[in-house]
Amino acid sequence: MSKPKHILVIRLSAMGDVAMTVPVLRAFTQQYPSIKITVLTRAFFKPLFRDLKNLTVFPADVKGKHKGLVGLYKLSRELKKENCDAIADLHKVLRTKVLKPLIGTRKVATIDKDRKAKKQLTKGKIFEQLKTTHQRYADVFETLGFPLDLTKPNYPIPAALNPNISKLIVDSNKKRIGIAPFAAHDGKKYPLELMEQVIKELSKNYQVLLFGGGKKEVQILNYFESEADGIINMAGKLSFNEELDVISNLDVMLSMDSGNAHLAAIFGVKVVTIWGVTHPFAGFAPFNQPADYALVADRNQYPKIPTSIYGNKYPEDYKDAAGSVPVERVVEKIKAVLG
């Protein structure tokens, strides 16, 4: 059977998961430049793929016209017009299981999430590095006949900063540290009183840019900004495209196990992550980062870690597990990474 010439890639969910596809798709477009890619994802995520050649984004309106069974049928009719001859399902949820046969493309490959091994990891039956999510994505393309080498990544050059951004970021000879202190679940967050200490200490020698979203988060970041010179809150002031421009110009990103870690990794930015009730062994560490850039909670104090894959399940007394990573360790790691 001939190889596909146009692949529909499906990844609809959270920003971090979608961002993790980008290094894999960049490798694909560089190693197979004649193959066309259409990515089915949410319209908001389109800027993530802005520098990838021979790739287009097909926006899925899963909360509007593509909602429910009728919406999926409409979506399948629209996708048929794209004339894709293969599907790479990097999502594997009920929605995609319904959608794929409706499209009618015969050649289909689906991600193996290996839920059994992940369950063993969270139940404490094993404690070892599982296959990374990036490699699981790559495996899907190999099934379609396109093996990928992820070991020699190329990255886009840092974006030029427009006047809107330049007004916010004062020109400085200091190195830029991005800090994203929030995560979807409390069990993945570094305690704010400790993060405040980290931010104030780093602002003495570096320019600190704060990232987040949502009214409450913006208020907290505004408070951090008021604490010292050299701290700039970026939240709520830029478009998503502009925010990516800023991230591409960072010297290092400090993030929880969250989407911002993966956004920075897209651009080859060094990423230091703090882990609470989750653990890099589950395969969700940011792309191409050294293992020692992941600062994990003290498993002598919290032996059940990882308590879940996504950080949504944990014993009540594990809520502040990330706080077992000392402030001094975080600061020294950032300094060491910056050299």
Side-chain angles (χ1 to χ4, degrees):
M1 186 179 293
S2 61
K3 283 189 176 182
K5 296 180 179 179
H6 186 180
I7 301 174
L8 174 66
V9 176
I10 303 175
R11 197 57 171 107
L12 292 166
S13 65
M15 182 166 62
D17 295 317
V18 177
M20 291 178 82
T21 68
V22 175
V24 179
L25 291 174
R26 182 178 288 118
F28 186 98
T29 58
Q30 290 170 348
Q31 293 168 37
Y32 302 99
S34 65
I35 308 301
K36 185 178 179 182
I37 293 284
T38 295
V39 178
L40 177 66
T41 193
R42 303 182 191 212
F44 180 79
F45 299 144
K46 186 175 180 178
L48 293 173
F49 306 93
R50 63 191 186 182
D51 70 300
L52 300 189
K53 296 179 180 179
N54 215 19
L55 180 150
T56 58
V57 172
F58 191 104
D61 185 9
V62 294
K63 293 184 178 180
K65 67 175 181 176
H66 299 143
K67 183 178 180 180
L69 287 173
V70 173
L72 287 176
Y73 178 71
K74 290 179 182 177
L75 178 58
S76 70
R77 295 288 296 270
E78 294 170 24
L79 288 169
K80 282 182 179 180
K81 297 176 184 177
E82 296 294 308
N83 294 316
C84 299
D85 52 2
I87 296 176
D89 181 1
L90 308 184
H91 200 169
K92 195 182 180 183
V93 292
L94 180 59
R95 183 185 284 125
T96 65
K97 289 178 181 178
V98 173
L99 180 63
K100 286 180 290 187
L102 289 175
I103 297 172
T105 303
R106 292 180 64 186
K107 194 153 191 173
V108 178
T110 302
I111 187 172
D112 176 9
K113 294 184 176 180
D114 199 358
R115 288 192 173 96
K116 181 179 179 181
K118 289 175 181 175
K119 187 174 182 179
Q120 289 178 319
L121 184 65
T122 58
K123 296 297 182 183
K125 294 181 179 179
I126 61 171
F127 186 66
E128 60 191 38
Q129 180 66 58
L130 303 184
K131 184 181 291 187
T132 68
T133 300
H134 300 98
Q135 187 57 52
R136 293 188 191 279
Y137 290 160
D139 290 347
V140 176
F141 293 103
E142 184 167 4
T143 301
L144 293 174
F146 301 98
L148 293 176
D149 181 2
L150 302 181
T151 63
K152 300 173 184 176
N154 291 308
Y155 299 104
I157 62 172
L161 301 180
N162 67 29
N164 185 37
I165 299 171
S166 298
K167 288 178 184 178
L168 293 173
I169 304 176
V170 180
D171 283 338
S172 173
N173 292 325
K174 294 180 178 179
K175 292 186 176 181
R176 289 179 178 143
I177 303 171
I179 299 184
F182 303 107
H185 304 289
D186 288 342
K188 298 204 291 185
K189 296 176 185 175
Y190 196 55
L192 288 175
E193 62 274 14
L194 299 183
M195 183 57 75
E196 181 181 2
Q197 295 177 43
V198 169
I199 291 170
K200 289 175 72 174
E201 183 62 31
L202 291 173
S203 70
K204 294 176 181 178
N205 299 298
Y206 307 101
Q207 189 178 58
V208 176
L209 309 182
L210 304 177
F211 295 88
K215 189 175 181 180
K216 185 177 180 181
E217 291 185 6
V218 171
Q219 290 175 341
I220 293 170
L221 296 182
N222 282 336
Y223 167 73
F224 287 160
E225 182 182 46
S226 70
E227 285 285 272
D229 292 335
I231 304 172
I232 305 171
N233 177 18
M234 309 303 297
K237 299 175 182 176
L238 302 172
S239 68
F240 184 42
N241 211 33
E242 290 174 323
E243 194 167 295
L244 292 177
D245 289 347
V246 175
I247 290 173
S248 75
N249 282 272
L250 295 176
D251 293 289
V252 65
M253 170 68 88
L254 173 63
S255 173
M256 307 301 100
D257 169 22
S258 67
N260 281 284
H262 303 296
L263 295 182
I266 287 174
F267 300 103
V269 173
K270 296 174 181 178
V271 185
V272 174
T273 44
I274 302 175
W275 300 71
V277 298
T278 57
H279 196 281
F281 278 3
F284 291 94
F287 180 70
N288 200 42
Q289 303 293 324
D292 68 334
Y293 283 16
L295 307 179
V296 299
D298 184 351
R299 290 189 78 249
N300 290 321
Q301 189 176 349
Y302 299 100
K304 295 179 182 178
I305 288 176
T307 63
S308 66
I309 298 301
Y310 302 109
N312 56 332
K313 299 175 183 177
Y314 51 87
E316 183 58 32
D317 58 347
Y318 275 54
K319 182 179 178 180
D320 293 326
S324 62
V325 179
V327 168
E328 295 76 17
R329 186 178 173 210
V330 179
V331 172
E332 289 306 313
K333 175 56 71 174
I334 293 290
K335 289 181 177 179
V337 168
L338 288 172

